Amino acid sequence: MTNNFKKRSLILAMGVALTSTPIFAADEASEEDEGQTMVVVGSRAAPRSVGDSPVPVDVIASDELGTSGSADMLDMLMGAIPSFNVRAQPISDAATLIRPVNLRGLASDHTLVLVNGKRRHRASVLAFQGGGVNDGAQGPDISVIPNAAIKQVEVLRDGAAAQYGSDAIAGVMNFVLKDDTDGGSFSVKTGEFFEGDGATTVIDGNVGMPFTDAGFANFSFQLKNADATSRSVQRPDAANLIQQGNTAVNDPAQIWGNPEIKDDISIFGNIGLDLGNGKEFYLFGNYSERDVTGGFYYRNPHNRGNVYSIDGGATLLVGAVDGNQANCPVVPIPQVSDGQGGFVDGNVLTSAAYLAMVADPNCFSMNMVPGYAGGYTPQFGGNITDTSFTIGTSGEFNSGMLSGWGYDLSGSVGRSESRFNLKNTLNPSLGLDTPSDFDTGAYIQLEKTFNFDFVKETSSGVNIATGAEWREESFEIVAGEQASWEAGPYADQGFNIGSHGFKGFGPESAGVSTRRNIGLYVDVEADISENFLLGTALRYEDYTTFGDTLDGKVAFQYSATDSFSVRGSFSTGFRAPTVGQANVVNTQTSMVNGELVQTFIAPPTYPIAEYYGGVELTPEESKSTTMGVVYEAGDFFFTADFYTIEVTDRLAQSSQITVDPADYANLRALGVTNPELISAVTYYANDFDTTTSGLDIVANYSTQLFGGETKFSLAYNFNETTVDSRDEVVDPRTGIPVLDVDGNPTYRTDDGKVRRLEEGMPEHRATFTWAQEWDKTNMFVRVNYFGEYYATHADDTSDWGSEVADGAVTVDLDVSYLVNDSFTLSAGATNLFDEKAQELKPGTQGVLGAVYYESGPFDYNGGFYYVKATYNF
């Protein structure tokens, strides 16, 4: 059964002037469409073919996404869309749990995500270590969407805030859910990396059913489990401790690789019903949950600051039960010859000074905690739950002053909760009574949205649409258990407060922050002549926090011949700072010059942030221009689109600002507790302006080769981002700009952060795909090219921890055999030839405990092979 009424519901929900340029177009065309791919995104007029549009959209069918070895929607999309990027996040705090993405070189919260044309809520996690461009971003969690639920994905590559509101600076992604009324599928996929780890099993299914005799009910699920991977090497400091006789040190001391994912379940439902008289009802939503456990960096038992030492490892940090540390012995770290004229740490556990300290009941060090004499490596994990529900009705007024107008009324609610935990760590301020496992609290993102849209095509062929949107967004911090945040009795003796590595959220941080806004829009689209299409849009939004904004867009397409057309658009846009970015509190551990630095992330209006220059956040503003050409001739389709995106007052997490001991008294007076235990502070700021320029080229060609149907596809993206200006650091005591040793200005966004933003992703990316179909066998080969990029590790942009990495080519292969009409067997591999990621510089691998940079554009784990069985009914 074909659900044509579903198309109109989606058309009513979308903005002006979107259209599609397929990587491999979904087969959605009816006979009257003459085989052209039709999309419902982009116009409140009737659906357009992919060639008849003023701006580009990629359309990726579910079948193409299914040829990927990955079960993660993020990786599937990266293989299909060159301007879409996502990276692994091995040791990246909350970004390990929900990976951020990029479209056209901008952050994950610069791309608006829709499901069935309705705004998708953002994730509760903020990417504090987001690989440069995503630092501090808070975008939606796309990974919860299973391929089994998807009919197609439509990716607009153009600024669209004037149609949709905040977040659509880089573009829009619309996930269209399946709406079949019968049949379905069930599949099992299993695979692992060539290295023999990361075993992954995915079970998914879809079933379509009639909903009465005038509608459909379509349900999908996916269950995934994935083992952790390890691309680790033993650290020299840990190896030396073992050599010196410390048997409590693990080999390797830390695991660097993908996190473990357990019981990752997603359930999606999509329901539609024709109510008659041109009216329809629709409902869709999801429930998703997963447990993720990853690793942190190794804490050395001789020198980890405010845990084992406060003088860089010259002596142990010794606490006194009675509070008088002067009564406890000094415990130097013994030094022994390395046999090459230098010295290395000996075994402090067997030194006379250490044994004397242990014998004194008034004195202790954290080495005495059972199981922690060899240091420790915290395990960071979380339980992620994601739910959404949308209900609505659409139709057409048949009488009265609105006769002939179509309408769409809908309401949505979405919720994302990330509940964090930390294992195998300490709260040093509690002394020897510290627990080792902590519930560190949670973030909760809740969004409610109501839309009322109207559309009408006049007798002269002009399509007019208008409507309103009301949204409420809240961000909640839930306090962790007391032991995870409290300042124990030994905090004033130099011992770190809270669970070390990820301090729990305290009562002072807990609470709910809420913002509301209303948006009003109008857009008009018309064929000015037989060859010239013109669309305009205007949107007004008013926020309860920072005020209002007005944005517009103009788009056109001119058909010079039946085969060749020119298209373009210009738009202004904005992105509102999220409620989370304005109110988040966290403790982040970063790598700077090979050393771990614990940084307090504060809201910009917190006293410590304000003291170091924090101010209330304001919206980012953008100007976007796109110009392109479309050429269609028979089975050949070609588009090229050049774009520029200027973003002013761009929001980002500032670089680490060292807390100066000279400021301790002032900070205490402002109410900051224990400022001496805060190494550095960072906060969100409207810190700089950028210009992003690029070129997208997409070409498709269909023919017959080797006795079967053949499709070739080439997609190329060039993308370059330049930081145009950035804010200077000002001394909070004098109001005078702070200069470096050479007399030059210093900035909240340091040079290393700027370089990551400008060079951290390849400027050149391309894919070439060959899809071959025979009677019983299908083959899919994709060659991926990644240009050179600036590689860093754990935010370390020093010369020691970064370099320009070489370009690389990977190859993906999928082969499927149709056993019968119902049963299909598949086998394949991603990175078939096991292309290696960029290795860390000599001399840095051991210090970092890893082999590869974590910021690479493709999976550092290497090749992955899989087998899959699918049953269709």
Side-chain angles (χ1 to χ4, degrees):
M1 173 180 174
T2 301
N3 293 291
N4 290 324
F5 73 88
K6 183 66 179 173
K7 285 188 176 182
R8 192 159 79 200
S9 299
L10 288 176
I11 295 165
L12 284 161
M14 307 307 296
V16 161
L18 315 182
T19 191
S20 72
T21 300
I23 296 289
F24 268 112
D27 293 328
E28 295 297 312
S30 61
E31 285 184 20
E32 61 268 28
D33 299 327
E34 299 180 358
Q36 299 182 67
T37 301
M38 307 298 290
V39 291
V40 295
V41 293
S43 176
R44 289 181 171 91
R48 293 188 176 276
S49 72
V50 297
D52 294 337
S53 70
V55 288
V57 169
D58 296 319
V59 180
I60 307 100
S62 176
D63 290 346
E64 182 186 349
L65 294 174
T67 61
S68 169
S70 175
D72 191 314
M73 180 59 67
L74 304 181
D75 296 317
M76 294 180 187
L77 291 171
M78 190 179 74
I81 306 169
S83 57
F84 181 88
N85 289 275
V86 64
R87 291 172 171 169
Q89 302 282 346
I91 300 181
S92 299
D93 290 340
T96 301
L97 309 182
I98 299 176
R99 294 188 294 159
V101 303
N102 314 104
L103 183 66
R104 282 189 164 179
L106 296 178
S108 63
D109 48 14
H110 287 136
T111 299
L112 177 63
V113 175
L114 310 172
V115 174
N116 278 356
K118 304 298 182 182
R119 178 182 284 265
R120 178 80 177 168
H121 62 279
R122 67 183 76 253
S124 51
V125 158
L126 286 81
F128 301 121
Q129 294 182 355
V133 66
N134 271 313
D135 289 348
Q138 188 186 3
D141 183 7
I142 300 174
S143 68
V144 303
I145 305 175
N147 185 50
I150 298 301
K151 176 195 289 185
Q152 66 183 39
V153 183
E154 301 162 348
V155 183
L156 165 69
R157 295 179 275 113
D158 192 48
Q163 288 90 31
Y164 301 103
S166 179
D167 301 350
I169 287 178
V172 179
M173 302 181 68
N174 182 39
F175 292 83
V176 182
L177 301 178
K178 290 180 178 176
D179 56 3
D180 300 313
T181 58
D182 57 16
S185 65
F186 180 83
S187 72
V188 179
K189 180 194 289 184
T190 185
E192 67 178 22
F193 289 98
F194 291 4
E195 293 282 343
D197 59 6
T200 302
T201 300
V202 180
I203 302 171
D204 64 27
N206 169 265
V207 60
M209 299 176 291
F211 183 46
T212 73
D213 59 352
F216 67 90
N218 195 279
F219 298 96
S220 307
F221 81 94
Q222 177 178 282
L223 174 64
K224 178 172 68 175
N225 284 280
D227 292 343
T229 65
S230 175
R231 300 298 177 266
S232 312
V233 296
Q234 180 62 301
R235 297 167 53 109
D237 57 347
N240 174 67
L241 289 171
I242 295 173
Q243 185 177 355
Q244 301 301 325
N246 190 329
T247 58
V249 181
N250 292 327
D251 187 7
Q254 71 181 46
I255 301 298
W256 188 91
N258 283 6
E260 178 187 37
I261 301 175
K262 293 183 63 177
D263 302 326
D264 184 351
I265 179 71
S266 283
I267 301 171
F268 270 72
N270 188 27
I271 295 172
L273 178 64
D274 190 338
L275 301 176
N277 296 321
K279 297 177 175 59
E280 299 109 22
F281 162 83
Y282 56 88
L283 180 154
F284 57 89
N286 79 286
Y287 173 82
S288 305
E289 182 177 5
R290 66 182 181 273
D291 293 309
V292 183
T293 302
F296 272 4
Y297 287 96
Y298 172 63
R299 271 63 175 168
N300 185 292
H302 289 178
N303 58 31
R304 184 67 181 109
N306 300 107
V307 180
Y308 292 107
S309 178
I310 56 173
D311 57 12
T315 64
L316 280 186
L317 173 58
V318 177
V321 176
D322 65 2
N324 191 348
Q325 289 173 288
N327 293 334
C328 292
V330 176
V331 182
I333 304 298
Q335 298 294 297
V336 299
S337 172
D338 63 2
Q340 299 177 357
F343 295 90
V344 294
D345 286 358
N347 187 359
V348 72
L349 302 178
T350 58
S351 70
Y354 179 81
L355 295 174
M357 183 270 295
V358 172
D360 188 337
N362 183 53
C363 306
F364 70 92
S365 74
M366 300 311 291
N367 308 65
M368 296 169 58
V369 177
Y372 288 79
Y376 59 98
T377 303
Q379 286 187 303
F380 176 66
N383 174 265
I384 313 297
T385 58
D386 184 287
T387 56
S388 69
F389 181 82
T390 296
I391 187 170
T393 183
S394 63
E396 184 174 305
F397 294 105
N398 297 319
S399 60
M401 62 180 298
L402 293 177
S403 179
W405 282 83
Y407 68 88
D408 188 332
L409 174 64
S410 68
S412 301
V413 61
R415 184 179 186 273
S416 171
E417 177 177 356
S418 302
R419 184 162 292 277
F420 306 116
N421 61 72
L422 201 61
K423 301 178 181 179
N424 193 42
T425 190
L426 309 166
N427 180 342
S429 70
L430 296 175
L432 301 184
D433 294 327
T434 177
S436 60
D437 296 345
F438 301 86
D439 173 3
T440 54
Y443 292 149
I444 300 174
Q445 177 78 17
L446 179 65
E447 297 182 28
K448 303 170 186 176
T449 305
F450 291 94
N451 293 93
F452 204 177
D453 302 293
F454 300 91
V455 62
K456 181 177 183 178
E457 184 176 357
T458 68
S459 58
S460 60
V462 177
N463 197 81
I464 303 172
T466 187
E469 178 181 78
W470 178 91
R471 284 197 297 130
E472 180 183 85
E473 177 182 352
S474 67
F475 181 79
E476 180 178 3
I477 300 177
V478 180
E481 62 177 303
Q482 182 171 339
S484 74
W485 51 261
E486 72 174 312
Y490 305 106
D492 59 359
Q493 297 184 31
F495 288 92
N496 189 85
I497 295 172
S499 47
H500 193 247
F502 190 95
K503 179 177 176 289
F505 309 134
E508 77 286 351
S509 302
V512 181
S513 302
T514 302
R515 180 183 68 198
R516 299 178 182 88
N517 72 283
I518 186 168
L520 305 171
Y521 74 88
V522 61
D523 58 46
V524 179
E525 179 180 322
D527 290 309
I528 304 301
S529 69
E530 184 178 351
N531 299 325
F532 188 71
L533 167 69
L534 180 66
T536 63
L538 194 67
R539 187 180 186 95
Y540 171 80
E541 297 238 0
D542 185 45
Y543 286 77
T544 56
T545 50
F546 56 77
D548 57 5
T549 180
L550 181 66
D551 294 283
K553 182 170 184 175
V554 177
F556 75 92
Q557 183 175 41
Y558 176 71
S559 300
T561 68
D562 291 341
S563 301
F564 180 77
S565 62
V566 179
R567 63 187 181 187
S569 69
F570 173 79
S571 63
T572 63
F574 76 103
R575 189 190 73 81
T578 73
V579 179
Q581 290 169 332
N583 297 279
V584 71
V585 176
N586 208 325
T587 301
Q588 168 187 337
T589 302
S590 301
M591 186 73 67
V592 179
N593 289 310
E595 298 292 333
L596 293 177
V597 176
Q598 191 154 298
T599 304
F600 177 54
I601 302 172
T605 53
Y606 258 37
I608 191 171
E610 287 187 326
Y611 185 81
Y612 288 108
V615 296
E616 187 75 43
L617 300 179
T618 60
E620 301 172 333
E621 296 183 350
S622 69
K623 294 180 180 178
S624 178
T625 302
T626 301
M627 290 293 295
V629 296
V630 179
Y631 179 75
E632 295 180 90
D635 294 320
F636 180 71
F637 187 92
F638 173 87
T639 66
D641 295 277
F642 173 79
Y643 58 88
T644 61
I645 307 168
E646 299 177 12
V647 184
T648 56
D649 294 327
R650 185 160 171 177
L651 195 70
Q653 184 183 343
S654 71
S655 302
Q656 287 84 5
I657 302 170
T658 302
V659 176
D660 190 336
D663 296 334
Y664 290 166
N666 291 336
L667 291 172
R668 287 192 189 95
L670 292 172
V672 179
T673 305
N674 298 112
E676 66 276 3
L677 296 181
I678 302 174
S679 301
V681 65
T682 182
Y683 52 85
Y684 287 90
N686 296 95
D687 216 22
F688 53 96
D689 303 336
T690 63
T691 298
T692 299
S693 301
L695 174 67
D696 288 324
I697 295 177
V698 176
N700 296 329
Y701 179 65
S702 300
T703 187
Q704 292 185 338
L705 292 175
F706 310 111
E709 299 293 329
T710 305
K711 293 182 180 180
F712 294 111
S713 177
L714 172 67
Y716 166 78
N717 172 252
F718 167 77
N719 193 90
E720 180 182 50
T721 294
T722 302
V723 175
D724 302 320
S725 63
R726 47 185 168 146
D727 290 346
E728 297 181 13
V729 174
V730 176
D731 189 312
R733 292 159 293 192
T734 66
I736 299 173
V738 177
L739 306 180
D740 63 19
V741 294
D742 298 320
N744 299 313
T746 58
Y747 301 95
R748 269 193 308 229
T749 304
D750 62 27
D751 291 343
K753 198 175 186 75
V754 168
R755 189 175 183 190
R756 294 182 74 201
L757 186 65
E758 292 182 335
E759 305 175 29
M761 291 187 299
E763 289 186 351
H764 301 274
R765 263 210 65 201
T767 63
F768 177 76
T769 303
W770 172 23
Q772 188 71 31
E773 181 178 341
W774 293 281
D775 289 340
K776 291 286 188 177
T777 305
N778 297 332
M779 180 183 70
F780 187 92
V781 180
R782 174 180 284 129
V783 180
N784 309 283
Y785 171 72
F786 305 91
E788 67 177 26
Y789 63 97
Y790 176 54
T792 61
H793 193 93
D795 290 340
D796 193 337
T797 58
S798 66
D799 290 340
W800 178 87
S802 64
E803 63 179 309
V804 175
D806 296 331
V809 174
T810 66
V811 178
D812 304 330
L813 171 68
D814 182 271
V815 178
S816 298
Y817 177 71
L818 185 65
V819 178
N820 54 43
D821 290 343
S822 300
F823 194 61
T824 303
L825 294 176
S826 304
T830 58
N831 195 356
L832 178 65
F833 300 109
D834 200 23
E835 176 70 22
K836 301 298 183 184
Q838 184 79 11
E839 292 193 6
L840 290 161
K841 289 180 179 179
T844 65
Q845 291 189 358
V847 176
L848 299 171
V851 178
Y852 306 106
Y853 288 101
E854 68 179 23
S855 61
F858 64 94
D859 196 338
Y860 57 79
N861 286 291
F864 181 89
Y865 66 89
Y866 61 91
V867 293
K868 178 180 179 181
T870 303
Y871 177 71
N872 293 293
F873 55 91

